Amino acid sequence: MTVKVRFAPSPTGPLHIGGARSALFNYLFAAGRGGTFVFRIEDTDLERSSRESEQDIMKALHWLGITWDEGIDAGGDSGPYRQTERLDTYQHYTEKLMQSGQAYYCYCSEAELEQERQELSARGETPRYLGKCRHLTPDQRLAYEAEGRKPVVRFKVPEGQDIVINDLVRGKVVFESDGIGDYIIVKSDGIPTYNYAVVIDDVLMHITHVVRGEEHLSNTPRQVLIYEALGMKAPDFAHISLILNTEGRKMSKRDGDTAVMDYYHKGYLPEAVVNFIALMGWSPSGEQEFFTMEELKQAFSLEKVSKSPAVFDLNKLNYINAHYLKQKEAADLVELVLPFLRDKGIFPAAVLSESERQWITAFVEAVKEKINCLSEVKDYIHYFVGTEVDDFTEEAEAIMQADTVSAVLDLFASKIRQAEILDMATSKCILKEITKELSLKGKDVFMPVRIALTGQMHGPDLDRIMALLGKDNIYGRLAQTAGRRS
Ligand code: GLU
């Protein structure tokens, strides 16, 4: 059997981590089996759906490197791929269901339905529609129409049936049809509901496996009943677990960023986000932690998707991202780092000069092993740009009181002045020469120089700081430190 899967988001907001995981698992599942991946838009919630969200979702998928063979933008034989463009198709099947007596018009008003729900609740029963309009005569229907009531179409749920779902992740799950109640498949404005349209689309698009979030498990019996009513074979289902936060609660906006593009804006690398998301619920066989997309395609299988909840652990994402950052060439990160520097007012020009590019490359080289994500470069800019020296801590202050400090700083200043170029090699040399010429230990030279230039006792490599600051900033910083010490 050729595998065909789909990712079918409702475009009611940005792509969230959970949605991205569904998309990724579908994509990997198809890719590893020579299958087809369809991208469909389920926009039947007219009020909440927007083209803007659709674009956002696509942007996020593109960023992650998730592509589709069929669907929005890509085209294909089973289009259109936006549900609001398929209304005639749903209508066709609705008529079939009505003709066979498996669906019917319901004219109940919201007030009547509310009353029914309340009565059922009062009796301790599950609120559901009990089928009042199931057997309306043509005259009763006409009377309702004359009142101006617009009907919905309800699906006639068979009584006393066990609906068995052999879920590829969760195993056998059984639902009773009796608790369901006749549900709406077409709203009064003619728009189908999710549980209905999804079935028609999955059938007509020849979807073989539905891989989606666990929150849809309870919808599945409603969908299975429609497949049965239409005499169509249901696909295999795989419901992947909810994503919990590290405290074991359902992940929500309160736990930090839930939208995929938030991670783009924070300077995470897409390969890291993909690697991280893949491991939320899927456990590879061996010890391997880092997977490229190609490796994921080879390794992914639904058998290794866990039933227990996945955990969103930001520390793990940071760990994975730091790994990918270390592996990147600094020059390849220049464009990605640039927005964060521009945010701080550095390099505002639209086009970088060659020397600016070199400076940024060296800057990235100096910090890339220290950061979890690229936005953190902003915490390091102050070491390398401008003439401001951080306030000294007490400990730093004490170090600067040593007898040798003035000699060190004087000699340092004069060597900087004499240097023709100030790169990392000359910077290193200067520091070494000072230790020799003043017969001091390395520490007694490096520490005062570091504090004089940065105010700090720790930080990026001193030779990198010197080379990136350049002579003028160094003079400015030495002057500031001298002012502080006098
Ligand atoms: N439109 C549904 C959602 O965004 C898709 C559910 C499904 O994959 O069937 O949650």
Side-chain angles (χ1 to χ4, degrees):
M1 176 179 55
T2 323
V3 161
K4 197 168 180 193
V5 291
R6 85 300 192 275
F7 175 54
S10 305
T12 54
L15 182 67
H16 289 279
I17 293 289
R21 186 183 55 158
S22 295
L24 179 65
F25 282 13
N26 277 289
Y27 172 72
L28 297 176
F29 184 67
R33 283 153 195 79
T36 306
F37 178 44
V38 179
F39 176 59
R40 178 172 80 221
I41 284 289
E42 302 202 329
D43 57 350
T44 56
D45 184 340
L46 302 184
E47 253 162 51
R48 294 176 59 230
S49 298
S50 73
R51 285 293 170 105
E52 197 191 345
S53 295
E54 189 179 307
Q55 289 300 320
D56 276 0
I57 293 169
M58 289 202 275
K59 209 165 126 189
L61 292 173
H62 288 314
W63 179 60
L64 293 174
I66 298 175
T67 54
W68 48 96
D69 310 296
E70 225 182 278
I72 306 283
D73 275 3
D77 294 338
S78 318
Y81 293 93
R82 209 175 268 117
Q83 289 188 326
T84 48
E85 292 166 15
R86 300 173 61 78
L87 298 180
D88 290 350
T89 306
Y90 308 126
Q91 172 72 24
H92 169 77
Y93 286 94
T94 310
E95 279 162 17
K96 270 188 154 181
L97 288 171
M98 302 265 285
Q99 273 159 20
S100 62
Q102 289 162 296
Y104 60 91
Y105 284 126
C106 163
Y107 294 86
C108 291
S109 67
E110 191 39 51
E112 288 162 340
L113 294 172
E114 180 54 30
Q115 195 184 344
E116 180 174 73
R117 282 194 289 266
Q118 282 184 6
E119 281 168 14
L120 284 168
S121 295
R123 297 208 299 262
E125 288 186 45
T126 319
R128 61 194 190 280
Y129 185 69
L130 292 178
K132 185 173 165 212
C133 293
R134 262 193 187 198
H135 304 292
L136 293 182
T137 62
D139 282 349
Q140 284 170 315
R141 281 192 50 196
L142 281 175
Y144 279 136
E145 304 262 343
E147 280 177 35
R149 295 197 191 203
K150 278 208 171 317
V152 298
V153 180
R154 285 188 187 269
F155 180 73
K156 201 185 274 179
V157 175
E159 278 158 35
Q161 190 182 321
D162 278 349
I163 304 154
V164 181
I165 293 152
N166 289 308
D167 193 276
L168 295 177
V169 173
R170 325 206 81 76
K172 184 172 164 181
V173 190
V174 183
F175 294 88
E176 288 175 9
S177 70
D178 285 350
I180 297 179
D182 294 351
Y183 48 91
I184 299 173
I185 56 171
V186 183
K187 291 175 275 186
S188 56
D189 57 3
I191 306 291
T193 56
Y194 156 66
N195 274 322
Y196 178 50
V198 74
V199 172
I200 308 296
D201 290 350
D202 285 342
V203 165
L204 296 181
M205 293 177 190
H206 309 289
I207 300 302
T208 59
H209 296 74
V210 166
V211 182
R212 62 186 172 197
E214 190 187 346
E215 65 274 18
H216 287 296
L217 183 62
S218 59
N219 286 320
T220 311
R222 288 173 175 76
Q223 296 169 17
V224 167
L225 289 174
I226 309 248
Y227 284 104
E228 287 175 359
L230 291 169
M232 290 163 173
K233 188 183 166 311
D236 284 337
F237 293 99
H239 287 94
I240 43 185
S241 301
L242 295 179
I243 300 178
L244 304 182
N245 62 20
T246 42
E247 274 109 55
R249 276 179 284 111
K250 190 166 185 263
M251 164 127 163
S252 73
K253 192 80 199 145
R254 263 172 292 136
D255 300 309
D257 298 310
T258 54
V260 170
M261 290 311 272
D262 290 339
Y263 293 91
Y264 164 81
H265 292 298
K266 287 218 159 136
Y268 285 87
L269 296 172
E271 51 269 54
V273 177
V274 162
N275 195 146
F276 170 70
I277 290 178
L279 297 176
M280 270 195 295
W282 171 70
S283 342
S285 318
E287 294 293 302
Q288 191 175 344
E289 287 181 294
F290 301 109
F291 290 85
T292 63
M293 189 70 104
E294 282 315 305
E295 287 169 334
L296 287 172
K297 286 180 190 174
Q298 297 309 318
F300 182 81
S301 76
L302 285 173
E303 287 84 57
K304 296 267 176 208
V305 172
S306 164
K307 249 202 261 201
S308 31
V311 177
F312 183 95
D313 181 355
L314 188 62
N315 289 331
K316 186 161 179 187
L317 173 59
N318 283 336
Y319 165 73
I320 294 175
N321 201 58
H323 166 85
Y324 283 99
L325 279 176
K326 274 191 197 112
Q327 296 210 316
K328 284 260 184 203
E329 293 293 333
D332 294 337
L333 294 170
V334 169
E335 296 301 327
L336 296 176
V337 158
L338 199 51
F340 302 108
L341 298 175
R342 289 201 170 127
D343 254 11
K344 292 265 169 187
I346 313 166
F347 305 113
V351 182
L352 289 179
S353 69
E354 197 38 48
S355 66
E356 286 174 328
R357 185 170 288 281
Q358 278 171 9
W359 189 96
I360 301 175
T361 307
F363 169 70
V364 171
E365 199 68 69
V367 301
K368 83 182 170 89
E369 310 235 337
K370 302 185 183 302
I371 55 177
N372 290 314
C373 60
L374 293 172
S375 64
E376 289 177 14
V377 299
K378 61 184 186 306
D379 301 334
Y380 288 90
I381 291 170
H382 66 112
Y383 287 109
F384 303 101
V385 176
T387 53
E388 270 314 299
V389 181
D390 289 354
D391 289 341
F392 295 174
T393 58
E394 248 174 63
E395 216 182 333
E397 194 91 56
I399 290 172
M400 297 304 265
Q401 300 301 321
D403 298 343
T404 49
V405 169
S406 295
V408 168
L409 295 184
D410 286 349
L411 190 53
F412 178 71
S414 86
K415 284 193 181 285
I416 294 287
R417 222 165 274 122
Q418 282 159 23
E420 270 175 38
I421 42 159
L422 189 61
D423 56 12
M424 275 167 61
T426 40
S427 298
K428 237 185 205 138
C429 223
I430 287 173
L431 295 167
K432 228 192 208 137
E433 282 170 15
I434 299 173
T435 40
K436 271 205 192 133
E437 289 172 31
L438 298 179
S439 306
L440 290 171
K441 279 194 243 151
K443 201 176 119 221
D444 295 330
V445 172
F446 297 149
M447 203 43 106
V449 170
R450 177 180 284 285
I451 296 170
L453 293 183
T454 68
Q456 309 268 329
M457 292 169 57
H458 307 282
D461 298 338
L462 195 49
D463 49 344
R464 292 186 193 276
I465 292 177
M466 288 163 64
L468 283 162
L469 275 177
K471 288 186 169 194
D472 287 344
N473 284 329
I474 290 179
Y475 298 145
R477 289 184 179 218
L478 288 177
Q480 204 183 8
T481 291
R484 253 181 227 177
R485 298 183 65 239
S486 61

